[in-house]
Structures are given as structure tokens and as C-alpha cells.
Amino acid sequence: MDADRVIFSTQWIAIKESPRGFQYLERKGKDSVAVFLLRKSGENLESYEVLIRQQHLCIDNREIDGQFTLFPCPVTGALEEGESPEAAAQREVYEETGYKVQVSPLGEYIVGTQVNEICYLYYADVNGIEPDVAQQDGTYMESMAKNEWYPFQYLETCEYSGCQIGYLKLYKILFKSMD
């Protein structure tokens, strides 16, 4: 079987052509994590809250009244070279929220078939934990982000697909624990 021909390539992207003449862009992916922080303020499912990180997305630079639009997601971030997904999840949570947590796995999903990226999903209960000051990375984009608590059900309708996947997985865990 003939290999795809590389037309153009950089450190991050390659433009390729298949033996049948189909041209496509391949971005070199980087695996990532998404972490759902939960807290509970009562005894029923409706009492759970989830931390949503409102942040700028590189793919949509819309401005409203001179400010970038922020998009909802859990705590997210990329794995560093040689870092395990669990270590990345704990590092990202601490950097972006100040919480020092142990994380529990929720599974993983493929972000996109053209980039072959995997997003590892985790969750952590932060009841009774006082966060340190979030470290942030000092970038302008990071300085625009903000953390907000939402009712757990918000995940079901959130635009970020990882939130919807997390909702389905967490619902099973939370609902089962109430039986």
C-alpha cells in the first residue's frame, strides 16, 4: 500500500496527499486532560455543583464590547513531555484553580480523527478543601479566564463536547452513589 505524500510540513502541521489524490491537513496533536471539580451542598443530585472554567478559545476570536468571548469548559490542559495523564490533571487543576486534589478517572475520548488526540477525563471532589491562590501561567489568555460554579445539570447543555461526555459519565457515578 502506498503511503501518503507529504506536500508541506512544519513542526505542527503537514499537508498530505493520498495515493488517490485526496489532499488534507494533518495537525500534530497533543493529548490533553479535562477535569471536573465537584462539590455538594445538599443530599440530592440537584445539590451538586461543577466548576466551569470560562476561557478564550483560539479557534474563535469573537469580541463583544472590546472583550473576547469566553467559552465554558472543565479545567483543561495538555500533557507535558513524559507526563502521565493523571499527573497532568493534578497539575492543571492546581495551576488553574489552586486546588490540590487526587483525581479519579472517567475514561477518555478521541478529540479528532485528523489530529489523533486523546482527552483523558478525570473528576475530583473538592468539598472541604480550601484552594491555594491559582498559579496561572502569566499569559494574557490565561488572565482573561475565570472559574465559576454551576449546577451539575449545566454540563448536559454546555457547548463543549467534553462537558456533555463528562455529564453522562458523572451522572452514572453520582446517581449510583445515591442508591
Side-chain angles (χ1 to χ4, degrees):
M1 181 174 205
D2 293 335
D4 293 353
R5 179 175 71 91
V6 176
I7 297 170
F8 174 79
S9 180
T10 71
Q11 177 184 359
W12 299 106
I13 64 166
I15 298 173
K16 295 184 175 183
E17 183 175 63
S18 72
R20 294 179 29 202
F22 175 72
Q23 294 180 352
Y24 61 95
L25 174 72
E26 181 180 79
R27 183 172 69 93
K28 293 181 176 84
K30 199 165 190 185
D31 291 344
S32 62
V33 295
V35 185
F36 298 90
L37 299 183
L38 300 169
R39 66 183 185 189
K40 189 174 180 185
S41 59
E43 293 305 315
N44 58 21
L45 186 61
E46 288 76 31
S47 67
Y48 279 95
E49 293 179 310
V50 62
L51 186 122
I52 296 296
R53 185 153 175 82
Q54 301 286 344
Q55 63 187 23
H56 177 272
L57 291 181
C58 298
I59 59 172
D60 191 341
N61 288 332
R62 288 183 284 165
E63 286 188 43
I64 298 176
D65 297 327
Q67 294 193 335
F68 285 116
T69 302
L70 300 178
F71 294 89
C73 61
V75 174
T76 59
L79 275 68
E80 294 179 356
E81 189 68 35
E83 187 177 37
S84 72
E86 182 177 335
Q90 291 171 322
R91 176 183 51 76
E92 288 291 344
V93 167
Y94 187 70
E95 288 175 1
E96 295 182 7
T97 70
Y99 284 105
K100 290 181 184 176
V101 297
Q102 295 298 315
V103 294
S104 298
L106 277 177
E108 58 192 58
Y109 71 97
I110 297 171
V111 176
T113 58
Q114 293 299 311
V115 293
N116 300 316
E117 291 177 358
I118 296 172
C119 181
Y120 298 91
L121 300 171
Y122 291 91
Y123 73 100
D125 182 345
V126 298
N127 277 322
I129 300 174
E130 283 297 319
D132 293 339
V133 174
Q135 299 302 299
Q136 308 293 322
D137 65 10
T139 64
Y140 174 66
M141 296 304 179
E142 189 78 20
S143 72
M144 293 186 329
K146 57 185 174 180
N147 298 326
E148 299 175 334
W149 288 97
Y150 283 80
F152 173 73
Q153 290 77 7
Y154 172 80
L155 292 176
E156 185 178 26
T157 58
C158 179
E159 293 178 10
Y160 178 67
S161 62
C163 282
Q164 294 170 14
I165 294 168
Y167 172 80
L168 295 172
K169 291 179 176 276
L170 284 167
Y171 187 89
K172 288 179 184 177
I173 291 168
L174 298 175
F175 186 71
K176 184 177 180 182
S177 70
M178 294 179 68
D179 291 339

